[in-house]
């Protein structure tokens, strides 16, 4: 699809087709929104974007100390050191942070932009894309820190790390679908933001981030498998740190589920968006 054809494409507010094509049709607008959202968090601060490194590194140091030193947790890797533990832990934390950042912001995406609701020609459906783009910026910074840390410590990074976009695809589809759903619900149910904060915290500890999944009894392993964060965390570690293949069967199932949530969330947003202006 050429740039000229995108410009000629009519925009029909609330049209499911228009919502699907919005990231391509409104690419320049989306890019500006992502840039403004990402950089706006650090506007006026002395360290600027460098602050995006402080929180994950601080959490990494604290969690590594608590779990590997105080609790003596181990991943079962041969000749495992605290450096190995930190790398494995950090690889899981950055995936959960991507998931949590998007979902925690989703309920307020519409309510925090009331002026956009009153502009009929503004594509409201692009706001979850904006939040995801900003979160991906933070994820990429953290991922670069992970790669650099591996290089400095002499930890092997396997070529499977190039499959990162494929590994994350089901999760990204699910995040967008849930973001549309929560953005809509957040307009009508303001308490949803508090609930999602608790859900993302639960997802942190009910995922194999601080411990290997096979350390749990089999029934609990099946429970953790339903956590959206579990599979991408395990696959990322497998392909990047351990040189193992992606679990393609589980990945395919999660892709189907992610695509279904993507479609349902988009349809729900399209169905309810007409009532946003009445509430705001």
């Amino acid at each position: 699809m050429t740039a000229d054809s995108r410009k000629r494409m009519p925009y029909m507010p609330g049209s499911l087709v228009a919502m699907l094509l919005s990231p391509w049709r409104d690419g320049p607008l989306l890019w500006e929104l992502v840039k403004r959202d990402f950089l706006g968090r650090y506007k006026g601060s002395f360290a600027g974007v460098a602050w995006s490194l402080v929180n994950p590194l601080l959490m990494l140091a604290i969690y590594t100390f608590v779990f590997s030193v105080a609790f003596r947790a181990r991943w079962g890797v041969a000749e495992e050191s605290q450096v190995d533990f930190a790398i494995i832990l950090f690889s899981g934390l950055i995936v959960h942070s991507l998931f949590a950042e998007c979902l925690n912001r989703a309920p307020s995406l519409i309510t925090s932009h009331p002026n956009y609701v009153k502009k009929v020609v503004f594509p409201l459906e692009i706001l979850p894309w904006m939040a995801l783009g900003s979160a991906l910026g933070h994820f990429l910074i953290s991922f670069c820190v992970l790669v650099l840390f591996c290089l400095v410590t002499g930890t092997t990074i396997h070529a499977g790390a190039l499959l990162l976009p494929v590994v994350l695809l089901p999760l990204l589809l699910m995040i967008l679908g849930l973001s549309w759903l929560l953005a809509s619900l957040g307009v009508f149910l303001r308490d949803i933001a508090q609930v999602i904060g608790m859900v993302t915290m639960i997802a942190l500890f009910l995922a194999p981030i601080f411990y290997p999944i096979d350390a749990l009894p089999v029934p609990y392993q099946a429970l953790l498998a339903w956590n959206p964060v579990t599979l991408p965390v395990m696959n990322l570690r497998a392909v990047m740190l351990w040189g193992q293949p992606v679990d393609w069967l589980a990945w395919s199932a999660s892709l189907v589920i992610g695509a279904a949530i993507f479609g349902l969330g988009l349809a729900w947003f399209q169905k309810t968006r007409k009532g946003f202006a009445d509430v705001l």
Side-chain angles (χ1 to χ4, degrees), residues 19-277:
M19 292 171 69
L20 282 171
L21 296 177
S22 185
W24 292 269
R25 185 197 58 245
D26 301 308
L29 172 63
L30 176 58
W31 173 246
E32 289 301 320
L33 287 173
V34 170
K35 266 199 316 184
R36 187 176 68 176
D37 184 74
F38 182 85
L39 298 176
R41 303 187 193 187
Y42 312 104
K43 186 177 181 180
S45 64
F46 179 76
V49 179
W51 283 112
S52 63
L53 300 175
V54 174
N55 185 60
L57 289 177
L58 179 61
M59 290 299 100
L60 171 63
I62 293 174
Y63 285 142
T64 299
F65 174 78
V66 171
F67 285 93
S68 71
V69 178
F71 291 166
R72 299 184 182 278
R74 291 294 181 267
W75 288 96
V77 180
E79 301 180 359
E80 179 183 330
S81 65
Q82 290 184 9
V83 170
D84 297 324
F85 185 92
I87 289 173
I88 297 172
L89 174 61
F90 194 50
S91 64
L93 283 176
I94 62 176
V95 174
H96 174 268
S97 296
L98 171 64
F99 174 78
E101 180 178 346
C102 292
L103 262 62
N104 286 336
R105 294 190 61 193
S108 62
L109 283 176
I110 303 300
T111 56
S112 61
H113 299 91
N115 292 334
Y116 293 167
V117 177
K118 300 173 184 178
K119 296 179 180 179
V120 180
V121 296
F122 186 86
L124 292 175
E125 67 279 358
I126 211 171
L127 293 178
W129 287 100
M130 175 200 71
L132 177 59
S134 181
L136 281 173
H138 290 105
F139 173 84
L140 289 175
I141 291 175
S142 298
F143 184 76
C144 290
V145 171
L146 174 62
V147 171
L148 182 60
F149 191 48
C150 288
L151 294 175
V152 170
T153 58
T155 302
T156 301
I157 301 176
H158 295 274
L162 298 175
L163 291 175
L164 177 63
V166 176
V167 167
L168 293 181
L169 178 59
L171 179 65
L172 297 181
L173 290 174
M174 186 177 298
I175 285 174
L176 281 169
L178 291 174
S179 294
W180 278 311
L181 174 64
L182 295 173
S184 172
L185 291 177
V187 175
F188 307 102
L189 301 171
R190 301 301 173 93
D191 291 341
I192 195 70
Q194 308 303 321
V195 175
I196 295 303
M198 292 186 290
V199 168
T200 54
M201 179 59 68
I202 292 172
L204 173 64
F205 291 99
L206 292 185
I209 294 177
F210 303 105
Y211 50 84
I213 193 170
D214 54 13
L216 301 176
V218 174
Y220 293 100
Q221 293 182 29
L223 176 63
L224 262 65
W226 287 100
N227 187 333
V229 179
T230 295
L231 187 62
V233 166
M234 294 176 63
N235 276 334
L236 173 60
R237 288 169 175 164
V239 299
M240 179 178 177
L241 302 178
W242 298 327
Q244 299 172 354
V246 174
D247 184 347
W248 291 113
L249 181 61
W251 181 88
S252 299
S254 67
L255 180 64
V256 172
I257 295 173
I261 294 176
F262 178 92
L264 290 173
L266 186 62
W268 173 267
F269 189 89
Q270 185 263 352
K271 186 176 181 63
T272 58
R273 63 186 296 162
K274 294 180 181 178
F276 295 167

Side-chain angles (χ1 to χ4, degrees), residues 1-11 21-28:
M1 184 179 295
T2 64
D4 291 338
S5 63
R6 285 198 300 268
K7 291 179 180 179
R8 292 194 298 268
M9 191 182 305
Y11 174 60
L21 296 177
S22 185
W24 292 269
R25 185 197 58 245
D26 301 308

